[in-house]
Amino acid sequence: MTDFLLELRSEEIPARMQAGARESLAKLFTAELAKAGLSAGEIVTYAGPRRLALIAKGLPAATEAVSEEVKGPRASAPPQALEGFLRKTGLTREQLTERDGVLFAITEKPGRATAEVLAEAIPAIVRAFPWPKSMRWGAESASTESMRWVRPLHAIVALFGGEVVPFEVAGITSGNVTRGHRFHAPAEITLTGADTYVEQLRAAKVLVDQDERAAIIRERASALAAEAGLELVEDEGLVAENAGLTEWPVPLLGRFDEAYLDVPPEVIQLTARVNQKYFVCRSADGKLANAFVCTANIEATDGGTKIVEGNGKVLAARLSDARFFYETDLKTKLDDLRPKLEKIVFHEKLGTVAGKVERVAKLAEWLASEGIVPNCDSVLARRAAELAKADLVTGMVGEFPELQGLMGGYYAAAQGEDTAVAEAVRDHYKPVGQGDDVPSAPVTVAVALADKLDTIVSFFSIDEKPTGSKDPFALRRAALGVIALVLSNGLRGSLYSLFHQSAPEAGDGDMGQVVAADYFYDFVIDRLKVQQRSEGVRHDVIDAVVRMGGDDDIGGERDLVRLLARVRALQAFVTTDDGTNLLAGYKRAANILKKEGVEGDQNWTAPTYTLEPAEADLIAALDAAEPKAAQAVKAEDFEAAMAALASLRAPIDRFFDDVTVNDADAVKRTARLALLARVRAAVHTVADFSRIEG
């Protein structure tokens, strides 16, 4: 077995594209080898600012010979059919093999040298490479047929064992020569093979393993901060980005003027991170310190002093700009900025941001006044919603859109707004994604919930719904935000009523309020199923609760908190023996009722004939279980409700064993069908068991 080394050396590859490039290279390489019947024992990929590399370990010297068999016509087929088959295969009649009266064309394909396969595969991979963005270069770029790459491709190394695999791609001939660090080792390096690749480049001051570079940055940056009595603010995204920007990473710690600490810490961190790719540090009291860690790509002879000095000057200029925006923004009240929102289009079919603000303010006030968000001051909720989007027209948010909401919170606090209002302005976009903090302050919850409800309803009303993997307005994320806010804060009441309140008035848009609310509710429940699936909750159990009748005038469980409590109790129950057997008994009863056309609940009256013992036992069990289950459901003690249903298991089993439902006596038959309908109704007080699989 032999190892293969491929290195594609180019001008700088953007750091954000490197992980995807490694994945694509491995995927394309595996697919190309599979076409020839080859597979590697292991594939390792590396990516850095100037090179993309792959090592395939354990490749055979050649592919195995294979026998291909093509089925033809029967031996007794007309001559025309045989002639057509011979033309297709290029064989003579004597070369065909006959089995059971059928002719087969069997050809032996000899094995191929693996180097030959690689020589064909690599050019195909390079030409088909799926860079998110790519370019043409040189004189050939005048033609749209010229090769594209992320940046101009300079050289290709292809070594199978120690031998060059010869091929050419767009005028670049494969070889065994690469280059090391641009400054420390710019001379050509002759590579000897895959097994020495990493160490040969290490000697040339290039760490090809992105994970090794990331570990050096992470550990050394933390150590530098600790040496200065500080703590590094961890940022794995920034670690990966710096690892993608450097071949020989050298973290260095610098300082900036303490006067800039008057600027909000999030602004400083974002300025350092986005503009300069620097880490920031905290002091022992947890506050942001006037220190940064940059990552050089060179070992400077002065220990990095001039590098730190230069980076500090650049950062100071950026922080000066940030402080200017901040101080300028503070001179204008948020109320005075609100009229500018009338000039910002939220969506061409939905009007301006000012229109959205008014809708959200109205809804937030309603959520508070109706007690849906407990202990929420409706006046503060409206006020917070009215100010929530004002920071969109500030200089700071114009420079850093990521700070929307956060800056509004600072400005609201600075102009003397109630603390609850400032916090709501700051956090009303939350939760933004999975793992994000979920607000718990009542005013914040009201505004955040209203904002997300309005977003879902608004875009659905103009038929801008998510389709497949496309969700340009992040409506699925908004739905998950609604779910998180409701469940984390234990907000009680019908989710349907929230959408009913948010939906357009009857006659507006494509849907009236009732139809629209039902539609939006279903959308959120679909998101709930996805979310709960990751926690091991079955979708059919959710359906059994969601689609049960009797909770609202339109049916179904609409209170998310109660819904999930019921779902969890039901899932625990149906996995027990009692639950499994009761489900089987219920489905048997439901099938009989369906076959006999008995729909809905029946008016139960005690039979007048002499009861069978099993019949009497089932009636007695229902008499005991029904009030217990109803009372438990009312008290939201769903475990107790399941226990009450479990008492029906044995009586139902005995009933089906000992009693003939479709008795010849019409009176008995009618009474027994009504008894089964009573069983079905009793079970439906807890969930619609017909939707449970099994």
Side-chain angles (χ1 to χ4, degrees):
M1 294 294 182
T2 308
D3 296 344
F4 171 65
L5 166 66
L6 172 67
E7 183 195 72
L8 302 163
R9 185 164 56 82
S10 68
E11 293 184 21
E12 273 66 13
I13 304 170
R16 67 182 184 279
M17 296 185 188
Q18 292 173 19
R22 290 174 52 222
E23 184 178 339
S24 295
L25 182 58
K27 184 177 180 180
L28 289 171
F29 183 81
T30 301
E32 286 295 326
L33 260 62
K35 292 177 184 178
L38 285 172
S39 64
E42 181 186 1
I43 291 178
V44 180
T45 56
Y46 302 112
R50 293 199 299 152
R51 66 198 80 223
L52 180 61
L54 175 145
I55 293 176
K57 300 179 180 180
L59 286 173
T63 64
E64 295 181 359
V66 294
S67 177
E68 289 189 353
E69 182 179 284
V70 181
K71 184 179 180 181
R74 297 192 65 80
S76 58
Q80 296 89 335
L82 176 60
E83 290 171 6
F85 184 63
L86 293 176
R87 282 197 301 273
K88 176 183 176 181
T89 59
L91 301 179
T92 64
R93 172 63 181 83
E94 291 72 25
Q95 292 174 305
L96 300 181
T97 299
E98 183 178 339
R99 289 201 304 269
D100 299 326
V102 178
L103 298 174
F104 292 86
I106 301 175
T107 55
E108 297 293 332
K109 296 188 71 173
R112 297 175 64 198
T114 297
E116 182 183 335
V117 173
L118 293 168
E120 292 180 3
I122 304 307
I125 290 171
V126 173
R127 293 191 180 95
F129 208 84
W131 291 106
K133 289 185 178 180
S134 57
M135 62 179 289
R136 300 185 182 94
W137 63 92
E140 295 80 5
S141 63
S143 169
T144 57
E145 300 301 316
S146 64
M147 195 189 79
R148 302 179 68 96
W149 199 247
V150 61
R151 295 289 186 272
L153 186 62
H154 290 312
I156 301 175
V157 170
L159 290 176
F160 186 56
E163 300 297 321
V164 172
V165 177
F167 57 82
E168 182 180 306
V169 183
I172 301 171
T173 302
S174 60
N176 61 354
V177 175
T178 189
R179 290 182 182 272
H181 193 282
R182 194 186 298 272
F183 301 110
H184 288 309
E188 291 186 345
I189 304 166
T190 301
L191 298 174
T192 56
D195 56 339
T196 58
Y197 174 66
V198 172
E199 293 308 318
Q200 278 191 275
L201 280 175
R202 187 190 304 278
K205 297 292 185 179
V206 173
L207 300 177
V208 295
D209 187 338
Q210 61 286 331
D211 295 334
E212 183 181 0
R213 297 196 303 273
I216 288 171
I217 294 167
R218 186 186 302 110
E219 293 165 11
R220 183 58 185 151
S222 294
L224 286 170
E227 289 167 11
L230 305 172
E231 178 187 4
L232 189 76
V233 176
E234 295 182 0
D235 189 333
E236 278 302 305
L238 195 53
V239 168
E241 189 166 14
N242 276 285
L245 292 170
T246 56
E247 291 187 314
W248 192 258
V250 181
L252 301 167
L253 185 138
R255 296 279 185 171
F256 59 85
D257 192 335
E258 285 188 354
Y260 290 121
L261 294 177
D262 292 339
V263 178
E266 296 89 351
V267 174
I268 296 174
Q269 184 173 0
L270 197 61
T271 299
R273 186 192 199 285
V274 174
N275 294 127
Q276 303 305 127
K277 318 305 178 192
Y278 299 162
F279 297 90
V280 293
C281 303
R282 298 189 193 95
S283 54
D285 59 5
K287 295 181 179 179
L288 198 69
N290 65 322
F292 67 92
V293 176
C294 61
T295 306
N297 190 33
I298 188 173
E299 286 184 353
T301 55
D302 64 354
T305 300
K306 291 191 179 299
I307 293 175
V308 169
E309 182 182 335
N311 280 276
K313 289 180 180 178
V314 176
L315 180 59
R318 295 288 189 181
L319 291 177
S320 178
D321 290 343
R323 184 167 60 181
F324 170 78
F325 286 128
Y326 181 59
E327 292 175 347
T328 301
D329 289 342
L330 285 173
K331 296 175 183 178
T332 308
K333 297 286 188 182
L334 292 177
D335 276 316
D336 296 333
L337 295 174
R338 287 173 57 192
K340 293 184 179 181
L341 298 179
E342 296 174 1
K343 298 179 181 179
I344 302 177
V345 176
F346 177 59
H347 186 278
E348 60 181 354
K349 295 181 181 179
L350 295 173
T352 65
V353 173
K356 177 177 176 61
V357 166
E358 180 53 37
R359 294 193 303 271
V360 172
K362 180 180 176 182
L363 185 54
E365 184 178 29
W366 177 82
L367 290 170
S369 61
E370 292 294 315
I372 294 171
V373 179
N375 306 314
C376 182
D377 186 313
S378 60
V379 174
L380 294 182
R382 170 171 270 280
R383 177 64 175 165
E386 288 173 342
L387 299 180
K389 307 294 182 184
D391 68 349
L392 293 176
V393 293
T394 61
M396 186 65 79
V397 174
E399 181 74 8
F400 295 114
E402 304 94 325
L403 295 177
Q404 58 186 288
L406 179 71
M407 295 313 302
Y410 276 111
Y411 299 146
Q415 71 182 34
E417 294 293 335
D418 189 286
T419 301
V421 171
E423 289 178 353
V425 172
R426 180 192 66 200
D427 295 334
H428 79 280
Y429 290 106
K430 294 182 177 181
V432 176
Q434 189 173 6
D436 193 17
D437 293 337
V438 180
S440 58
V443 175
T444 307
V445 171
V447 179
L449 184 57
D451 189 36
K452 291 167 179 56
L453 288 169
D454 176 76
T455 295
I456 295 170
V457 168
S458 295
F459 283 106
F460 268 69
S461 69
I462 60 170
D463 202 29
E464 288 286 358
K465 301 181 287 291
T467 56
S469 61
K470 295 182 179 179
D471 186 11
F473 303 109
L475 302 187
R476 293 189 181 104
R477 187 173 68 191
L480 289 173
V482 169
I483 291 168
L485 287 164
V486 170
L487 296 180
S488 293
N489 293 285
L491 302 186
R492 305 309 305 269
S494 171
L495 185 60
Y496 168 81
S497 67
L498 299 185
F499 281 113
H500 187 278
Q501 182 70 20
S502 310
E505 296 291 339
D508 291 350
D510 296 328
M511 298 175 280
Q513 281 179 296
V514 173
V515 175
D518 226 6
Y519 196 52
F520 303 140
Y521 176 77
D522 287 344
F523 173 66
V524 172
I525 291 301
D526 285 342
R527 293 298 93 206
L528 179 69
K529 289 178 185 177
V530 172
Q531 180 211 52
Q532 291 295 309
R533 187 182 302 135
S534 64
E535 298 182 18
V537 179
R538 290 164 40 179
H539 68 88
D540 60 320
V541 175
I542 294 178
D543 274 337
V545 174
V546 170
R547 303 305 173 191
M548 58 174 288
D551 193 55
D552 283 312
D553 56 341
I554 58 170
E557 175 67 88
R558 302 293 170 129
D559 181 319
L560 283 189
V561 174
R562 190 169 63 206
L563 183 151
L564 276 187
R566 195 188 297 244
V567 162
R568 291 186 176 117
L570 179 59
Q571 177 152 317
F573 177 63
V574 296
T575 57
T576 64
D577 288 341
D578 281 344
T580 301
N581 290 330
L582 179 63
L583 177 61
Y586 163 86
K587 292 203 169 185
R588 185 173 177 183
N591 288 336
I592 292 172
L593 292 170
K594 182 178 179 180
K595 185 177 180 181
E596 297 300 324
V598 180
E599 300 293 338
D601 297 339
Q602 304 295 302
N603 292 325
W604 168 254
T605 55
T608 56
Y609 57 86
T610 302
L611 300 174
E612 298 281 348
E615 199 171 1
D617 288 348
L618 181 54
I619 292 171
L622 283 166
D623 288 341
E626 284 172 334
K628 287 182 181 178
Q631 185 177 359
V633 168
K634 186 176 181 180
E636 300 187 12
D637 186 353
F638 298 112
E639 288 79 5
M642 302 300 167
L645 289 185
S647 68
L648 298 175
R649 167 195 169 179
I652 290 174
D653 290 345
R654 285 195 300 272
F655 177 83
F656 282 123
D657 288 341
D658 300 347
V659 178
T660 302
V661 176
N662 289 323
D663 196 281
D665 185 328
V667 173
K668 292 182 178 181
R669 178 173 173 275
T670 300
R672 289 167 182 170
L673 287 172
L675 182 57
L676 292 184
R678 186 180 171 190
V679 168
R680 180 176 63 187
V683 172
H684 281 181
T685 61
V686 175
D688 183 354
F689 273 47
S690 68
R691 296 181 179 273
I692 300 177
E693 297 172 359

